[in-house]
Amino acid sequence: MKMEMKIALSLVVILGALTGCLSKEGKTADIIPLETALSTSSSNFKLSEREQKVYYNFQKDLNKQHLRGLEPISIAKLYIQASLDQKYDVVYALYTDKRGFVQWSKEEDKKIPSSDRGTKEQVLKTFNNIEKGKFVQLSDFEGYIEYQASEEVESKSGFSMIKDDDGIWKVSFKPIQ
């Protein structure tokens, strides 16, 4: 009988605690299902399965051979994902290492404060619709992704890419200007 009483009291305490957590001044909290919260996001940005696999492997060792064979738009999407994830070592590793195009060192990059790199919302707004863009190759090693970040504005944005000497497209320093 004592065990049943302990269980009953435990249930009352747990229920009381849960009720206390869900109410504030007699009002119940609004609980938004995860699917609804995600679908209200202003961006539909996501990596494809292949891009996810490459991103996962690349961030483990930053070996650019993982990037071999990816199209420039996919490389740009990895850059955006790394920016969203605030993995700045991955962001830097996605910049070109082509001689004459490197604008700052990895050490200098580490000194850039997170507050100067933009919020997730700013990143998503800046690169909105990049996956729908078109790659325009200007030379053997230069090109850009032309995309329309906002449907309200008719002008298009450009995201600069450089092909490294080993044939892998990488992000230009200051890709948006």
Side-chain angles (χ1 to χ4, degrees), residues 137-153:
Q137 191 162 346
L138 301 172
S139 71
D140 290 341
F141 62 90
E142 289 181 289
Y144 66 94
I145 301 165
E146 182 180 76
Y147 66 102
Q148 192 164 351
S150 172
E151 293 176 14
E152 290 88 44
V153 181

Side-chain angles (χ1 to χ4, degrees), residues 4-59:
E4 292 173 357
M5 187 64 132
K6 285 182 180 178
I7 293 173
L9 282 172
S10 295
L11 287 173
V12 169
V13 170
I14 291 170
L15 253 123
L18 287 174
T19 304
C21 289
L22 292 176
S23 65
K24 190 173 187 177
E25 300 174 6
K27 297 179 183 176
T28 57
D30 294 328
I31 298 174
I32 301 171
L34 181 60
E35 296 81 17
T36 305
L38 291 175
S39 67
T40 59
S41 170
S42 62
S43 174
N44 294 321
F45 179 81
K46 64 181 178 180
L47 299 177
S48 70
E49 277 188 49
R50 180 170 184 228
E51 292 163 346
Q52 287 175 15
K53 183 179 178 184
V54 170
Y55 181 68
Y56 175 77
N57 290 323
F58 182 69
Q59 68 183 324

Side-chain angles (χ1 to χ4, degrees), residues 134-169:
K134 138 182 124 166
F135 182 68
V136 178
Q137 191 162 346
L138 301 172
S139 71
D140 290 341
F141 62 90
E142 289 181 289
Y144 66 94
I145 301 165
E146 182 180 76
Y147 66 102
Q148 192 164 351
S150 172
E151 293 176 14
E152 290 88 44
V153 181
E154 287 188 33
S155 65
K156 296 194 176 191
S157 298
F159 185 96
S160 298
M161 305 286 292
I162 303 290
K163 187 187 279 188
D164 287 344
D165 294 332
D166 54 10
I168 297 173
W169 285 100

